[in-house]
Coordinates of all heavy atoms in Angstrom, one line a residue:
M1 N 93.1 59.0 103.3 CA 92.7 57.6 102.8 C 93.9 57.1 102.0 O 94.5 57.8 101.2 CB 91.5 57.8 101.8 CG 91.1 56.4 101.2 SD 89.6 56.5 100.2 CE 88.4 56.7 101.4
E2 N 94.2 55.9 102.2 CA 95.3 55.2 101.5 C 94.8 54.4 100.3 O 93.6 54.0 100.3 CB 96.0 54.2 102.5 CG 96.6 54.9 103.7 CD 97.9 55.7 103.4 OE1 98.6 55.3 102.4 OE2 98.1 56.7 104.0
L3 N 95.6 54.2 99.3 CA 95.2 53.5 98.1 C 94.7 52.1 98.5 O 93.7 51.6 97.9 CB 96.4 53.4 97.2 CG 96.1 52.8 95.8 CD1 95.0 53.6 95.1 CD2 97.3 52.8 94.9
Q4 N 95.3 51.4 99.4 CA 94.9 50.0 99.8 C 93.5 50.1 100.5 O 92.9 49.0 100.6 CB 95.9 49.3 100.7 CG 96.1 49.9 102.1 CD 97.2 50.9 102.1 OE1 97.8 51.3 101.1 NE2 97.6 51.2 103.3
D5 N 93.0 51.2 100.9 CA 91.7 51.4 101.5 C 90.6 51.4 100.4 O 89.4 51.3 100.8 CB 91.6 52.6 102.4 CG 92.5 52.5 103.5 OD1 92.8 51.4 104.0 OD2 93.0 53.6 104.0
I6 N 90.9 51.6 99.2 CA 90.0 51.7 98.1 C 89.7 50.4 97.5 O 90.6 49.7 97.0 CB 90.5 52.7 97.0 CG1 90.8 54.1 97.6 CG2 89.5 52.8 95.9 CD1 91.5 55.0 96.7
K7 N 88.4 49.9 97.7 CA 88.0 48.6 97.2 C 86.5 48.5 97.1 O 85.8 49.3 97.7 CB 88.6 47.5 98.1 CG 88.3 47.6 99.6 CD 89.0 46.5 100.4 CE 89.1 46.9 101.8 NZ 89.9 45.9 102.6
W8 N 86.1 47.5 96.4 CA 84.7 47.3 96.2 C 84.0 46.8 97.5 O 84.6 46.1 98.2 CB 84.4 46.2 95.1 CG 84.9 46.6 93.8 CD1 86.0 46.0 93.1 CD2 84.4 47.5 92.9 NE1 86.1 46.6 91.9 CE2 85.2 47.5 91.7 CE3 83.3 48.4 93.0 CZ2 84.9 48.4 90.6 CZ3 83.0 49.2 91.9 CH2 83.8 49.2 90.7
N9 N 82.8 47.2 97.7 CA 82.1 46.8 98.9 C 81.7 45.3 98.7 O 81.8 44.8 97.6 CB 80.9 47.7 99.2 CG 79.8 47.6 98.1 OD1 79.4 46.6 97.6 ND2 79.3 48.8 97.7
E10 N 81.2 44.7 99.8 CA 80.9 43.2 99.7 C 79.8 42.9 98.7 O 79.9 41.9 98.0 CB 80.5 42.7 101.1 CG 81.7 42.6 102.0 CD 82.8 41.8 101.5 OE1 82.6 40.7 101.0 OE2 84.0 42.3 101.6
Q11 N 78.8 43.7 98.5 CA 77.8 43.5 97.5 C 78.3 43.5 96.1 O 78.0 42.7 95.3 CB 76.6 44.5 97.7 CG 75.5 44.3 96.8 CD 74.3 45.3 97.0 OE1 74.5 46.3 97.7 NE2 73.3 45.1 96.3
A12 N 79.2 44.5 95.9 CA 79.8 44.6 94.5 C 80.7 43.4 94.3 O 80.8 42.8 93.2 CB 80.6 45.9 94.4
R13 N 81.5 43.0 95.3 CA 82.4 41.8 95.2 C 81.6 40.6 94.8 O 82.0 39.8 94.0 CB 83.2 41.6 96.4 CG 84.3 42.6 96.7 CD 84.9 42.3 98.1 NE 85.9 43.3 98.4 CZ 87.2 43.1 98.1 NH1 87.6 42.0 97.6 NH2 88.0 44.1 98.4
E14 N 80.5 40.4 95.5 CA 79.6 39.2 95.2 C 79.1 39.3 93.8 O 79.1 38.3 93.1 CB 78.5 39.2 96.2 CG 77.6 38.0 96.1 CD 76.5 37.9 97.2 OE1 76.7 38.3 98.3 OE2 75.4 37.4 96.8
K15 N 78.7 40.4 93.3 CA 78.2 40.5 92.0 C 79.3 40.3 91.0 O 79.0 39.6 90.0 CB 77.6 42.0 91.8 CG 77.3 42.3 90.4 CD 75.9 42.0 90.0 CE 75.4 42.6 88.7 NZ 76.0 42.0 87.5
I16 N 80.5 40.7 91.2 CA 81.6 40.5 90.3 C 81.9 39.0 90.2 O 82.1 38.5 89.1 CB 82.8 41.3 90.8 CG1 82.6 42.8 90.5 CG2 84.1 40.8 90.0 CD1 83.6 43.7 91.3
L17 N 81.9 38.3 91.3 CA 82.1 36.9 91.3 C 81.0 36.1 90.6 O 81.3 35.1 89.9 CB 82.3 36.4 92.8 CG 83.6 36.7 93.4 CD1 83.7 36.3 94.9 CD2 84.8 36.1 92.6
L18 N 79.7 36.5 90.9 CA 78.6 35.9 90.2 C 78.7 36.0 88.7 O 78.5 35.1 87.9 CB 77.3 36.4 90.7 CG 76.9 35.9 92.1 CD1 75.6 36.7 92.6 CD2 76.7 34.4 92.1
D19 N 79.1 37.2 88.3 CA 79.2 37.5 86.8 C 80.3 36.6 86.2 O 80.2 36.1 85.1 CB 79.5 39.0 86.6 CG 78.2 39.8 86.8 OD1 77.1 39.3 87.0 OD2 78.4 41.1 86.9
A20 N 81.4 36.5 87.0 CA 82.5 35.7 86.5 C 82.2 34.2 86.4 O 82.5 33.5 85.5 CB 83.8 35.9 87.4
D21 N 81.4 33.8 87.4 CA 81.0 32.4 87.4 C 80.0 32.1 86.2 O 80.2 31.1 85.6 CB 80.2 32.0 88.7 CG 81.2 31.8 89.9 OD1 82.4 31.7 89.7 OD2 80.7 31.8 91.0
R22 N 79.2 33.0 85.9 CA 78.3 32.9 84.8 C 79.0 32.9 83.5 O 78.7 32.1 82.6 CB 77.2 34.0 84.8 CG 76.2 33.8 85.9 CD 75.0 34.8 85.8 NE 74.2 34.7 86.9 CZ 74.0 35.6 87.9 NH1 74.6 36.8 87.7 NH2 73.2 35.4 88.9
A23 N 80.0 33.7 83.4 CA 80.8 33.7 82.1 C 81.5 32.4 82.0 O 81.5 31.8 80.9 CB 81.9 34.8 82.2
L24 N 82.0 31.8 83.0 CA 82.7 30.5 83.0 C 81.7 29.4 82.6 O 81.9 28.5 81.8 CB 83.4 30.2 84.3 CG 84.1 28.8 84.4 CD1 85.1 28.6 83.4 CD2 84.7 28.7 85.8
Q25 N 80.5 29.4 83.3 CA 79.5 28.4 83.1 C 79.0 28.5 81.6 O 78.9 27.4 81.0 CB 78.3 28.7 84.0 CG 78.6 28.4 85.4 CD 77.5 29.0 86.4 OE1 76.6 29.6 86.0 NE2 77.7 28.7 87.7
E26 N 78.8 29.7 81.0 CA 78.4 29.8 79.7 C 79.5 29.3 78.7 O 79.2 28.6 77.7 CB 78.1 31.2 79.3 CG 77.6 31.5 77.9 CD 76.4 30.7 77.4 OE1 75.6 30.3 78.3 OE2 76.3 30.4 76.2
A27 N 80.7 29.5 79.0 CA 81.8 29.0 78.1 C 81.9 27.5 78.2 O 82.0 26.9 77.1 CB 83.1 29.7 78.5
V28 N 81.7 26.9 79.4 CA 81.8 25.5 79.5 C 80.6 24.9 78.8 O 80.7 23.9 78.1 CB 81.9 25.1 81.0 CG1 81.7 23.5 81.1 CG2 83.2 25.5 81.6
R29 N 79.4 25.5 79.0 CA 78.2 25.0 78.3 C 78.3 25.0 76.8 O 78.1 24.0 76.1 CB 77.0 25.8 78.7 CG 75.7 25.2 78.1 CD 74.6 26.2 78.1 NE 74.9 27.4 77.2 CZ 74.9 27.4 75.9 NH1 74.6 26.3 75.2 NH2 75.2 28.5 75.2
E30 N 78.9 26.1 76.3 CA 79.1 26.2 74.8 C 80.1 25.2 74.3 O 79.9 24.6 73.3 CB 79.5 27.6 74.5 CG 79.5 27.9 73.0 CD 79.9 29.3 72.7 OE1 79.7 30.2 73.5 OE2 80.4 29.5 71.6
A31 N 81.2 25.0 75.1 CA 82.2 24.0 74.7 C 81.6 22.6 74.7 O 81.9 21.8 73.8 CB 83.4 24.1 75.7
A32 N 80.8 22.3 75.7 CA 80.2 20.9 75.8 C 79.2 20.7 74.6 O 79.2 19.6 74.1 CB 79.5 20.8 77.1
S33 N 78.5 21.7 74.2 CA 77.6 21.5 73.1 C 78.2 21.6 71.7 O 77.7 21.0 70.8 CB 76.4 22.5 73.2 OG 76.9 23.8 73.0
S34 N 79.4 22.2 71.6 CA 79.9 22.4 70.3 C 81.2 21.6 70.1 O 81.7 21.4 68.9 CB 80.2 23.8 70.0 OG 81.2 24.4 70.8
L35 N 81.8 21.1 71.1 CA 83.1 20.4 71.0 C 83.0 18.9 71.4 O 84.1 18.4 71.9 CB 84.2 21.1 71.8 CG 84.5 22.5 71.3 CD1 85.5 23.2 72.2 CD2 85.1 22.5 69.9
S36 N 81.9 18.3 71.3 CA 81.8 16.9 71.6 C 82.8 16.0 70.9 O 83.0 16.2 69.7 CB 80.4 16.4 71.3 OG 80.2 15.1 71.6
G37 N 83.5 15.2 71.6 CA 84.5 14.4 71.0 C 85.9 15.0 70.8 O 86.8 14.4 70.2
S38 N 86.0 16.3 71.2 CA 87.3 17.0 71.1 C 88.2 16.6 72.2 O 87.8 16.1 73.3 CB 87.0 18.5 71.1 OG 86.2 18.9 70.0
S39 N 89.5 16.9 72.0 CA 90.5 16.6 73.0 C 90.5 17.7 74.1 O 89.9 18.8 73.9 CB 91.9 16.6 72.4 OG 92.3 18.0 72.0
K40 N 91.1 17.3 75.2 CA 91.2 18.3 76.3 C 91.9 19.6 75.9 O 91.4 20.7 76.3 CB 91.9 17.6 77.5 CG 92.2 18.6 78.6 CD 93.1 18.0 79.7 CE 94.5 18.0 79.2 NZ 95.5 17.6 80.3
E41 N 92.9 19.4 75.1 CA 93.6 20.6 74.6 C 92.8 21.5 73.8 O 92.8 22.8 73.8 CB 94.9 20.2 73.8 CG 96.0 19.5 74.7 CD 95.7 18.1 75.1 OE1 94.8 17.4 74.4 OE2 96.3 17.6 76.0
Q42 N 91.9 20.9 72.9 CA 91.0 21.7 72.1 C 90.0 22.4 72.9 O 89.7 23.6 72.6 CB 90.3 20.8 71.0 CG 91.3 20.3 69.9 CD 90.6 19.3 69.1 OE1 90.0 18.3 69.6 NE2 90.6 19.4 67.8
V43 N 89.5 21.8 73.9 CA 88.5 22.4 74.8 C 89.1 23.5 75.6 O 88.5 24.6 75.7 CB 87.8 21.3 75.7 CG1 86.8 22.0 76.6 CG2 87.1 20.3 74.8
Y44 N 90.3 23.2 76.1 CA 91.0 24.2 76.9 C 91.2 25.5 76.0 O 91.0 26.6 76.5 CB 92.3 23.7 77.4 CG 93.1 24.6 78.2 CD1 93.0 24.6 79.6 CD2 94.0 25.6 77.7 CE1 93.7 25.5 80.4 CE2 94.7 26.5 78.4 CZ 94.6 26.4 79.8 OH 95.3 27.3 80.6
E45 N 91.7 25.3 74.8 CA 92.0 26.4 74.0 C 90.7 27.2 73.7 O 90.7 28.5 73.7 CB 92.6 26.0 72.6 CG 92.9 27.1 71.7 CD 94.0 28.0 72.2 OE1 94.9 27.6 73.0 OE2 94.0 29.2 71.8
F46 N 89.6 26.5 73.5 CA 88.3 27.2 73.3 C 87.9 28.0 74.5 O 87.5 29.2 74.4 CB 87.2 26.1 73.0 CG 85.8 26.7 72.9 CD1 85.3 27.2 71.7 CD2 85.0 26.8 74.0 CE1 84.1 27.8 71.6 CE2 83.7 27.3 74.0 CZ 83.3 27.8 72.7
L47 N 88.0 27.4 75.7 CA 87.6 28.1 76.9 C 88.6 29.3 77.1 O 88.1 30.4 77.5 CB 87.8 27.1 78.1 CG 86.7 26.0 78.2 CD1 87.0 25.1 79.3 CD2 85.3 26.5 78.2
F48 N 89.8 29.1 76.9 CA 90.8 30.2 77.1 C 90.4 31.4 76.2 O 90.3 32.5 76.6 CB 92.2 29.7 76.8 CG 93.2 30.8 76.9 CD1 93.8 31.1 78.1 CD2 93.7 31.5 75.8 CE1 94.7 32.2 78.3 CE2 94.6 32.5 75.9 CZ 95.1 32.9 77.2
E49 N 90.2 31.1 74.9 CA 89.9 32.1 73.9 C 88.6 32.8 74.3 O 88.4 34.0 74.1 CB 89.8 31.6 72.5 CG 91.2 31.2 72.0 CD 92.2 32.3 71.9 OE1 91.7 33.5 71.5 OE2 93.4 32.2 72.2
K50 N 87.6 32.1 74.7 CA 86.3 32.6 75.0 C 86.3 33.5 76.3 O 85.6 34.5 76.3 CB 85.3 31.4 75.3 CG 83.9 31.8 75.5 CD 83.3 31.9 74.2 CE 81.8 32.1 74.4 NZ 81.2 32.5 73.1
L51 N 87.2 33.2 77.2 CA 87.2 33.9 78.5 C 88.2 35.0 78.6 O 88.0 36.0 79.3 CB 87.4 32.9 79.6 CG 86.3 32.0 79.9 CD1 86.7 30.9 80.8 CD2 85.1 32.7 80.4
K52 N 89.3 34.9 77.8 CA 90.4 35.9 78.0 C 90.0 37.4 77.7 O 90.5 38.2 78.4 CB 91.6 35.5 77.1 CG 91.5 35.8 75.7 CD 92.7 35.5 75.0 CE 92.6 35.8 73.5 NZ 93.8 35.6 72.7
G53 N 89.1 37.6 76.8 CA 88.7 39.0 76.6 C 87.7 39.5 77.6 O 87.3 40.7 77.5
Q54 N 87.2 38.7 78.4 CA 86.1 39.1 79.3 C 86.7 39.5 80.7 O 85.9 40.0 81.5 CB 85.1 37.9 79.6 CG 84.4 37.6 78.3 CD 83.3 36.5 78.6 OE1 82.6 36.6 79.5 NE2 83.3 35.5 77.7
F55 N 88.0 39.3 80.9 CA 88.5 39.6 82.2 C 89.9 40.4 82.0 O 90.6 40.1 81.1 CB 88.9 38.3 83.0 CG 87.6 37.5 83.3 CD1 87.3 36.5 82.4 CD2 86.8 37.8 84.3 CE1 86.1 35.7 82.6 CE2 85.7 37.1 84.6 CZ 85.3 36.0 83.7
V56 N 90.1 41.4 82.9 CA 91.3 42.2 82.9 C 92.4 41.2 83.4 O 92.2 40.6 84.4 CB 91.1 43.4 83.8 CG1 92.5 44.1 83.9 CG2 90.0 44.3 83.3
D57 N 93.5 41.2 82.7 CA 94.7 40.4 83.2 C 94.3 39.0 83.4 O 94.6 38.4 84.4 CB 95.3 41.1 84.4 CG 96.7 40.6 84.7 OD1 97.4 40.1 83.7 OD2 97.1 40.6 85.9
F58 N 93.6 38.4 82.5 CA 93.1 37.0 82.6 C 94.3 36.0 82.7 O 95.2 36.0 81.9 CB 92.3 36.6 81.4 CG 91.8 35.2 81.4 CD1 90.9 34.8 82.4 CD2 92.2 34.3 80.5 CE1 90.4 33.5 82.4 CE2 91.7 33.0 80.5 CZ 90.8 32.6 81.5
Q59 N 94.3 35.2 83.7 CA 95.3 34.2 84.0 C 94.6 32.9 84.3 O 94.2 32.7 85.4 CB 96.3 34.6 85.1 CG 97.1 35.8 84.9 CD 98.1 35.7 83.8 OE1 98.8 34.6 83.7 NE2 98.3 36.7 83.0
P60 N 94.5 32.0 83.3 CA 93.8 30.7 83.6 C 94.6 29.9 84.6 O 95.8 29.9 84.6 CB 93.7 30.0 82.2 CG 94.9 30.6 81.5 CD 95.1 32.0 82.0
G61 N 93.8 29.2 85.4 CA 94.5 28.3 86.4 C 94.0 26.9 86.3 O 93.5 26.5 85.2
P62 N 94.1 26.1 87.3 CA 93.7 24.7 87.3 C 92.2 24.5 87.0 O 91.8 23.5 86.5 CB 94.0 24.2 88.7 CG 94.2 25.4 89.5 CD 94.6 26.5 88.7
D63 N 91.4 25.5 87.3 CA 89.9 25.4 87.0 C 89.7 25.2 85.5 O 88.9 24.3 85.1 CB 89.1 26.6 87.4 CG 89.0 26.7 88.9 OD1 89.2 25.7 89.6 OD2 88.8 27.8 89.4
L64 N 90.4 25.9 84.7 CA 90.2 25.8 83.2 C 90.5 24.4 82.7 O 89.8 23.8 82.0 CB 91.0 26.8 82.5 CG 90.3 27.4 81.3 CD1 89.0 28.0 81.6 CD2 91.2 28.5 80.6
T65 N 91.6 23.8 83.2 CA 92.0 22.5 82.9 C 91.0 21.4 83.4 O 90.6 20.5 82.7 CB 93.4 22.2 83.5 OG1 94.4 23.1 83.0 CG2 93.8 20.7 83.2
K66 N 90.5 21.6 84.6 CA 89.5 20.7 85.2 C 88.3 20.7 84.3 O 87.8 19.6 84.0 CB 89.2 21.3 86.6 CG 88.0 20.6 87.3 CD 87.8 21.2 88.7 CE 86.5 20.9 89.2 NZ 86.3 21.6 90.5
Y67 N 87.8 21.8 83.9 CA 86.5 21.9 83.1 C 86.8 21.4 81.6 O 85.9 20.7 81.1 CB 85.9 23.2 83.1 CG 85.5 23.6 84.6 CD1 86.0 24.8 85.1 CD2 84.8 22.8 85.3 CE1 85.7 25.1 86.4 CE2 84.5 23.1 86.6 CZ 84.9 24.3 87.2 OH 84.6 24.6 88.5
A68 N 88.0 21.6 81.1 CA 88.3 21.1 79.8 C 88.4 19.6 79.8 O 87.9 18.9 78.9 CB 89.7 21.7 79.3
E69 N 88.9 19.0 80.9 CA 89.0 17.6 81.0 C 87.6 17.0 81.2 O 87.3 16.0 80.6 CB 89.8 17.2 82.2 CG 91.3 17.4 82.0 CD 92.1 17.2 83.3 OE1 91.5 17.2 84.4 OE2 93.4 17.2 83.2
A70 N 86.7 17.7 81.9 CA 85.4 17.2 82.1 C 84.6 17.2 80.8 O 83.9 16.3 80.5 CB 84.6 18.0 83.1
V71 N 84.7 18.3 80.0 CA 84.0 18.4 78.7 C 84.6 17.3 77.8 O 83.8 16.6 77.1 CB 84.2 19.8 78.1 CG1 83.7 19.8 76.7 CG2 83.4 20.8 79.0
A72 N 85.9 17.2 77.7 CA 86.5 16.2 76.8 C 86.2 14.8 77.2 O 86.0 13.9 76.3 CB 88.0 16.4 76.7
G73 N 86.0 14.6 78.4 CA 85.7 13.2 78.9 C 84.2 12.9 78.9 O 83.7 11.9 79.4
G74 N 83.4 13.9 78.4 CA 81.9 13.7 78.3 C 81.3 13.7 79.7 O 80.2 13.1 79.9
E75 N 81.9 14.3 80.7 CA 81.3 14.3 82.0 C 80.4 15.5 82.3 O 79.8 15.6 83.4 CB 82.5 14.4 83.0 CG 83.5 13.3 83.0 CD 84.7 13.5 83.8 OE1 84.6 14.2 84.8 OE2 85.7 13.0 83.5
F76 N 80.2 16.4 81.3 CA 79.4 17.5 81.5 C 78.1 17.4 80.7 O 78.1 17.1 79.5 CB 80.1 18.8 81.1 CG 79.4 20.1 81.3 CD1 79.2 20.6 82.5 CD2 78.7 20.7 80.2 CE1 78.4 21.8 82.7 CE2 78.0 21.8 80.4 CZ 77.9 22.4 81.7
D77 N 77.0 17.7 81.3 CA 75.7 17.6 80.6 C 75.4 19.0 80.1 O 75.1 19.9 80.8 CB 74.6 17.2 81.6 CG 73.2 17.3 81.0 OD1 73.1 17.4 79.8 OD2 72.2 17.2 81.8
S78 N 75.5 19.2 78.8 CA 75.4 20.5 78.2 C 74.0 21.1 78.3 O 73.7 22.2 78.0 CB 75.9 20.5 76.7 OG 75.1 19.7 76.0
G79 N 73.0 20.2 78.6 CA 71.6 20.7 78.7 C 71.3 21.2 80.1 O 70.3 21.7 80.4
A80 N 72.3 21.1 81.0 CA 72.0 21.5 82.4 C 72.0 23.0 82.5 O 72.6 23.7 81.7 CB 73.1 21.0 83.3
T81 N 71.2 23.5 83.4 CA 71.1 25.0 83.6 C 71.7 25.4 84.9 O 71.7 24.6 85.8 CB 69.6 25.4 83.5 OG1 68.9 24.7 84.5 CG2 69.1 25.2 82.1
A82 N 72.1 26.6 85.0 CA 72.7 27.1 86.2 C 71.6 27.5 87.2 O 70.6 27.8 86.9 CB 73.6 28.3 85.9

């Protein structure tokens, strides 16, 4: 067996992605409810700080900016449920 052959099965991969999506959704929900009227940069920083400890080798990408802009622009309904 080679090292590249060792990986999570599809069911585990799906669960990992669902858990990651839920963590992101919760962080965005919390930002929307607590940072109303804040700048995109403030929301981004909040999301970054909230998520960085939850993932190994966390590297935020364009998604974090997209959601920070949505929260700062009042485009997110914080009462919505997943």
Side-chain angles (χ1 to χ4, degrees):
M1 179 178 285
E2 299 289 327
L3 189 57
Q4 68 265 13
D5 296 329
I6 300 169
K7 54 185 157 185
W8 297 109
N9 65 45
E10 289 305 312
Q11 184 178 4
R13 286 175 184 265
E14 185 176 325
K15 170 90 170 71
I16 291 166
L17 285 174
L18 286 173
D19 290 348
D21 286 346
R22 286 189 189 114
L24 177 60
Q25 291 165 359
E26 178 58 26
V28 171
R29 184 201 61 75
E30 189 176 335
S33 66
S34 65
L35 295 173
S36 178
S38 296
S39 71
K40 174 185 79 171
E41 291 77 15
Q42 290 170 309
V43 176
Y44 182 94
E45 182 65 28
F46 175 87
L47 293 174
F48 180 84
E49 290 298 322
K50 188 80 173 169
L51 293 168
K52 74 176 182 178
Q54 296 185 45
F55 299 96
V56 175
D57 196 24
F58 179 65
Q59 297 291 321
D63 290 339
L64 218 55
T65 300
K66 173 181 162 182
Y67 299 126
E69 288 171 348
V71 169
E75 300 172 27
F76 181 77
D77 176 10
S78 63
T81 57

